[in-house]
Amino acid sequence: MFTVSKAFVEESSWVTGKTPNGELIIGYIDKIDPAKDIVRVTVVNSDNDDIVGDTIEMLHHWVETIPSSFEKSKTQLEFLIDLALETKDEEWFLELSAEWKKKDQKELL
């Protein structure tokens, strides 16, 4: 679905990863502890609904950044728009909605 990167993560970076329990997660970096090589990730989507909304600690190498600029399909945009709504990220929602509208208008031509 996404092309991910092992690039340096920073606070507020969107990431995907796998917990030690094998749960797949999508979330954003809440805090970084470089001394321990740990990131705190607020989980916004997971195959384990029980951890959605939780902030969990993960080793830095367990997460990969989701780049903000890549070609997205309408289905991916719809998923990300839902995610922006869930996280109450108005700026991101508006950005994604504008991108979805452009893609929708292109399809009509």
Side-chain angles (χ1 to χ4, degrees), residues 12-61:
S12 78
S13 292
W14 283 92
V15 295
T16 184
K18 194 174 198 179
T19 69
N21 297 331
E23 301 148 325
L24 301 174
I25 60 109
I26 295 176
Y28 58 90
I29 302 292
D30 184 53
K31 187 175 182 180
I32 299 172
D33 184 347
K36 296 180 181 175
D37 198 30
I38 290 176
V39 294
R40 288 177 46 117
V41 179
T42 299
V43 179
V44 296
N45 199 352
S46 175
D47 56 353
N48 177 1
D49 291 335
D50 292 338
I51 65 170
V52 173
D54 291 350
T55 300
I56 60 175
E57 290 188 347
M58 298 178 68
L59 290 174
H60 176 267
H61 66 273

Side-chain angles (χ1 to χ4, degrees), residues 2 70 72 76-84 92 96:
F2 299 106
F70 63 94
K72 302 168 198 77
Q76 289 171 325
L77 283 169
E78 289 165 358
F79 171 79
L80 293 171
I81 287 169
D82 288 344
L83 197 54
W92 192 36
L96 292 167

